[in-house]
Amino acid sequence: MNADLLQLQESLCKAMCSEVRVLPKNKELAIIRTPFTFPDGDPYQVYLKQLPGGLLRVSDMGHTLGHLSYENDTTKFRKGTRGKLFDQILAEGEVAEDDGEFYVDAEPDNLASAIFRLSHALIKLNDITFLNRARAESTFYEDLRESLMRIVPGAKISEDYVYEAMDNARDYPIDYRIEGKHAPLFVFGVPNKDKARLATIVLERLKRANADFDSLLIFADQGTIPRPDLARLSNVGGEMIASLDARDDFERKLLRKVA
Amino acid sequence: MAFESISDVEIERLLALPKRVSNPGARDSRIEGRLQRNYDVVGEGQEYKFQLYTRQNIRPGMDDDFSCGLSWLAPNGETLTLCRYNGPHLDHFNRLEHEWLEATCHIHRTTERYIQAGFKPEGHASTTDRYRTLTGALHCLVTDCRISGIETQPDEPTLFPLP
C-alpha cells in the first residue's frame, strides 16, 4: 500500500472526532453524542457522570431498553436463547447493568475505550430484537416456500390462492395451491395457534362450499400449538408435518399428493 | 399484508381512522427504571387493532426521556409503528434526507418512502413544539390519531419556551 498511512490516520482521527461531541445535560450528566443510531434514526444514548474517586461512568441511563420496549417485551430478553445472548453481549463488552441501565466505569484515560465498548454492546443488544416472534414467523414462511419450491416445480404452485367459488372468498386465503393427482392440494403454513385457528376456519369454509381438495398442514413447531386448537384443526385438515425439519416426511407426503 | 406494499394513503387512513381505547383503566408498570403503559385500541368497526403505549424514564435527570406511540397490529401478526411522539432527550437523524434534528421534541411517522428504501418505517421525524411532557405528547397523539376512551390534557402554554 502506497498511501501515506500516517496522514490517513490523522485525517481519519479528525473525521471521527468530529462525529463525537460532549454536551452538558444537567448538573450530574453530560451527553456524549456519537454517530451510532437505532434503525429508526434515534441515537443510542451515551451519558457521562463523575463517580467518587475520579472514576467516570459511561452509561445509557436506561434508555436502550426503553427504546426497545416500544416494539418488544424486554423482560423476554433475559430468558431462554435471548437471555443467553444478552448475558454474552454484556460479558464480552465488560458492560455492567443496574435495573436496565447499562454502564462501563473507567479511568479518564480509558474513556474512549469505555465509550466504544458500551456503544458496541448497545448495538448488539438491539440485534436481539431480530429474534422476535414476527421475524421468526416470517422466516418460517420463507423456509416453507423454499422447501416447497425445492420439491415441486414452481409452475404447479400458486401462492396466496383464493378459492373463488364461495362467498367472501378473499377472506379465506390459502397459502399455496398445488396441482394434485386427484384434486388440488391446499397447503397451509402454521407457525402459531392463531394461524391454526384461521386454517381451521378456512378448511371448514371450503368443506361447506363442497370444494374438492386435499390439504397439507405444515407446522413451524407442532408441539407449541395448544391441544384444543390442534384437535380442531386435525378434524378438518388432511396430512400434517410437525416441522420443516422433518424433511423426508415432508417430501414423501407432498409427492404422494402432487400430480 | 406485507408492509412493503403499504402506501401513504393506507397509512393516513389507519392514522385517521376513529379509534377507541378498550382498556382505559390500564396502569403504569415500573420496569427496568421506566414507567410503561400499554393501551389496547380498536378501530371503528372493530376490524383494526392497535396498541397505544407510553414510556417514561424515571431515573434522576431523565425527565425528558419519554415517548408515546401508536402501533397497528396487522392481521399477519406483525406490528407497524404508525407514529411515535418523542421527548427532547436527544437528536434524531433522518436517513433519507441526511439531516440531523437537534435535541427537540419530535414526531416519527411511518412513510411509504422509508419503507420502500428499506429503512425502519417510522424512520422519518419532524420537530414539534406542541408538547413538552409525556402528558402533553399523549394528548397530541390521541387528538391527531382520533383516539377516544381516555382523558388526556395538553401541556399548559409556557412563556419560556425550551431553547
Side-chain angles (χ1 to χ4, degrees), chain A residues 119-136:
Chain A
S119 301
H120 191 205
L122 299 182
I123 292 166
K124 287 168 80 174
L125 285 166
N126 178 67
D127 291 348
I128 292 179
T129 61
F130 292 135
L131 295 174
N132 71 20
R133 196 188 80 156
R135 283 216 169 86

Side-chain angles (χ1 to χ4, degrees), chain A residues 84-203:
Chain A
K84 282 181 193 160
L85 275 173
F86 186 96
D87 292 342
Q88 191 180 335
I89 290 164
L90 297 189
E92 282 173 4
E94 295 178 71
V95 171
E97 188 212 344
D98 177 18
D99 191 24
E101 173 185 356
F102 302 112
Y103 64 89
V104 176
D105 292 343
E107 302 280 350
D109 287 350
N110 295 324
L111 186 58
S113 160
I115 293 169
F116 275 119
R117 271 165 45 207
L118 180 67
S119 301
H120 191 205
L122 299 182
I123 292 166
K124 287 168 80 174
L125 285 166
N126 178 67
D127 291 348
I128 292 179
T129 61
F130 292 135
L131 295 174
N132 71 20
R133 196 188 80 156
R135 283 216 169 86
E137 285 171 15
S138 169
T139 309
F140 163 72
Y141 282 114
E142 286 169 16
D143 292 346
L144 171 60
R145 186 179 189 280
E146 189 184 309
S147 299
L148 284 174
M149 295 293 178
R150 185 174 48 79
I151 300 168
V152 181
K156 291 187 178 180
I157 302 177
S158 306
E159 290 185 62
D160 298 324
Y161 179 72
V162 174
Y163 182 77
E164 297 285 1
M166 60 184 183
D167 292 342
N168 304 318
R170 296 200 171 273
D171 293 338
Y172 303 93
I174 296 157
D175 291 336
Y176 294 95
R177 177 195 185 278
I178 300 176
E179 293 293 338
K181 277 185 181 144
H182 311 294
L185 176 66
F186 294 161
V187 177
F188 295 87
V190 187
N192 55 41
K193 71 172 183 197
D194 293 338
K195 184 60 187 292
R197 291 173 183 175
L198 178 63
T200 303
I201 292 167
V202 174
L203 287 163

Side-chain angles (χ1 to χ4, degrees), chain A residues 25-26 31 33 37-43 45 47 61-63 65 69-71 74 78 99-101, chain B residues 30 32 34 55 57 59 61 64-65 67 81 84 86 89-93 95 100 106 108 120 122:
Chain A
K25 180 166 177 69
N26 53 42
I31 301 170
R33 183 178 142 171
T37 65
F38 289 97
D40 66 3
D42 284 349
Q45 298 202 13
Y47 296 92
M61 291 300 287
H63 177 80
L65 287 178
S69 76
Y70 304 152
E71 296 181 359
T74 55
R78 299 167 196 278
D99 191 24
E101 173 185 356
Chain B
R30 190 189 187 287
E32 297 162 335
R34 66 180 177 274
R55 302 288 185 266
N57 192 331
R59 288 177 177 78
D64 60 356
D65 185 6
S67 282
T81 298
R84 193 173 67 247
N86 274 11
H89 41 278
L90 215 62
D91 315 345
H92 168 82
F93 183 59
R95 289 179 202 279
W100 277 98
H106 58 267
H108 289 254
K120 198 89 164 88
E122 73 277 22

